[in-house]
Amino acid sequence: MSSRTRHPAGRVAMVSEHASPLAALGGPDAGGQNVYVAQVARQLARRGHRVTVYTRRDSADLPDRVTLDDGVQVVHVPAGPPAPVPKDELLPHMSEFGDFLARQWSLDPPDVVHAHFWMSGLAALAGARELGIPVVQTYHALGTVKKRYQGASDTSPPQRLAIEEAVGHDCARIIATCSDEVAELKAMGLDEDRISIVPCGVDPDQFRPAPRIRPAGARKRLLSVGRLVPRKGFDRAIRALAGIPGAELVVAGGPGAGLLGADPEARRLAAIAAEYGVADRVTLLGGVGRDRMPALMADADLVLSLPRYEPFGIVPLEAMACATPVVATAVGGQLDTVVDGTTGVLVPADEDHDLGPVVRALLADPERLARYGAAGRRRVLTHYTWDRVADGVAAVYGAVSSIPSLSGVVR
């Protein structure tokens, strides 16, 4: 099914309590989920469906409703204070969120609800339960994984694990983004027959190969992208740089460049660079707009995606779409997206593993880099466009709802 094909309209409600499709990326709670919700909503709207995204009002200045160019409606739900609240502190406001959804849907019920993140699932089920509306759940990240890797430093509410499991049992179907997540869901006691894998995606027209803009003879450039949080592994990339002479590392993410001096993680990374004697070869760019990111990725020799754990990870896909090879830790969705020895190299998440030899060998072999880059671009076009993601999501909707245009075989 192509995004250019028009169908009878279905009514789709998406619930994304902390990740608005309108949010600027790079903040502590803004990342891949925002992109996923925005892109899938737009793809479905372009197919003729009426799509409404419900997200929490985090500013008194926001209008009640915003209509995007493609017809997607974004509703700002009054739940908690109209101000930024860290997502780990939002649980007490989900009852108010669910009550709002119930009132809205009793007047104008959607055909299917798609909840994004565990708290959205809680609110969506509360809003849909009495009306008999099917709820599809995408977790985007699981508390079991976060607890395993963060331990005592995990700031999630203590009820998270129990609520995630309950949401999984009560929803009509679960969409997992990768095979690793399916294993985690099965370990939670959830029925594999009710789980479908639909990955995240990338826009290959936005992220595409482009000529290098660095001058001839410039240092080889390594690029790491993501939120400035310890689990993203930027510190590991900095330490590895000490054994990669002639290369520089650019880190894109976090607050604006002018605010990096006040950011704890940025200060920690700068201190590590100084400790390892590579401060003159490490650049922290701060937050980079989506309009600048494709050129930044296309200009890199190699993208390093080194999270300690990662529910999915869009960064490798964006790099591959730009025909830039990837060195990625063998975790989460990266196990599915990066084909070791074909589109890049998978390395252990163990921080004691020395990245230097792997990166040095790649940088010394331009033909191999070019081959990996071309293969990565082909893989994205075959499996990971947002159009293909929307195909998979629509098939899941069709399996649980009566919308004729969304019915189909769940892959």
Side-chain angles (χ1 to χ4, degrees):
M1 181 165 55
S2 167
S3 62
R4 294 182 294 275
T5 303
R6 307 296 289 183
H7 295 285
R11 296 164 297 175
V12 177
M14 291 192 175
V15 182
S16 182
E17 97 296 348
H18 75 273
S20 169
L22 306 177
L25 301 184
D29 291 332
Q33 182 177 328
N34 305 70
V35 175
Y36 182 102
V37 171
Q39 291 287 353
V40 173
R42 288 174 177 141
Q43 287 288 339
L44 293 172
R46 289 167 186 165
R47 298 173 186 212
H49 305 300
R50 196 180 79 184
V51 183
T52 305
V53 180
Y54 296 86
T55 192
R56 198 186 74 85
R57 177 187 295 277
D58 60 5
S59 170
D61 297 330
L62 291 171
D64 292 342
R65 186 180 293 259
V66 175
T67 303
L68 304 183
D69 291 343
D70 42 35
V72 173
Q73 298 272 314
V74 179
V75 175
H76 293 116
V77 177
V85 176
K87 68 174 182 286
D88 287 336
E89 299 174 16
L90 287 176
L91 182 59
H93 307 302
M94 288 302 102
S95 177
E96 185 180 4
F97 202 121
D99 289 344
F100 177 91
L101 295 177
R103 291 193 299 272
Q104 291 285 304
W105 294 343
S106 67
L107 300 173
D108 186 17
D111 297 296
V112 66
V113 175
H114 189 171
H116 300 272
F117 202 58
W118 65 280
M119 281 184 284
S120 293
L122 183 66
L125 286 166
R129 187 172 288 113
E130 296 300 320
L131 301 170
I133 303 168
V135 175
V136 173
Q137 175 69 32
T138 297
Y139 288 99
H140 292 282
L142 287 169
T144 52
V145 178
K146 189 177 182 186
K147 177 67 70 177
R148 182 183 310 137
Y149 286 96
Q150 294 192 3
S153 63
D154 180 9
T155 57
S156 299
Q159 307 98 313
R160 177 173 179 173
L161 300 188
I163 293 174
E164 282 185 338
E165 183 178 337
V167 166
H169 285 296
D170 291 347
C171 68
R173 198 164 187 97
I174 300 168
I175 292 179
T177 57
C178 63
S179 52
D180 188 65
E181 185 181 358
V182 174
E184 294 287 345
L185 293 167
K186 288 171 60 180
M188 290 166 56
L190 300 176
D191 183 0
E192 186 177 9
D193 290 340
R194 295 174 48 249
I195 303 170
S196 300
I197 297 179
V198 181
C200 298
V202 65
D203 181 350
D205 294 324
Q206 179 186 18
F207 288 86
R208 61 183 186 271
R212 294 276 166 79
I213 57 178
R214 282 176 290 136
R219 287 171 172 161
K220 298 291 187 180
R221 176 169 292 179
L222 311 176
L223 174 66
S224 290
V225 177
R227 291 178 291 133
L228 282 191
V229 292
R231 77 171 179 88
K232 291 296 185 178
F234 300 132
D235 51 351
R236 186 178 178 189
I238 290 172
R239 289 192 294 270
L241 191 65
I244 311 170
E248 63 180 0
L249 173 67
V250 174
V251 178
L259 301 175
L260 284 174
D263 185 88
E265 181 66 2
R267 292 200 303 268
R268 186 178 79 93
L269 295 176
I272 292 172
E275 177 188 352
Y276 279 78
V278 295
D280 62 327
R281 294 192 284 134
V282 174
T283 302
L284 302 181
L285 291 181
V288 172
R290 297 289 290 174
D291 57 334
R292 292 176 53 202
M293 190 60 72
L296 190 64
M297 285 192 163
D299 198 41
D301 294 286
L302 197 59
V303 165
L304 306 183
S305 182
L306 306 173
R308 294 166 176 79
Y309 69 94
E310 188 65 75
F312 183 79
I314 284 182
V315 169
L317 287 185
E318 293 175 341
M320 289 158 58
C322 293
T324 301
V326 181
V327 171
T329 42
V331 297
Q334 297 185 159
L335 286 163
D336 289 359
T337 56
V338 179
V339 181
D340 187 43
T342 299
T343 69
V345 178
L346 290 172
V347 297
D350 180 4
E351 294 190 25
D352 292 333
H353 178 269
D354 185 6
L355 295 174
V358 170
V359 175
R360 287 197 305 270
L362 284 169
L363 294 179
D365 192 344
E367 291 185 2
R368 186 179 173 200
L369 288 176
R371 187 169 66 251
Y372 283 3
R377 174 73 179 177
R378 288 194 300 271
R379 182 164 175 76
V380 164
L381 294 175
T382 302
H383 299 289
Y384 295 106
T385 65
W386 285 115
D387 190 50
R388 287 191 172 274
V389 172
D391 282 347
V393 170
V396 174
Y397 293 174
V400 299
S401 77
S402 60
I403 306 175
S405 60
L406 293 184
S407 61
V409 178
V410 177
R411 292 198 296 263

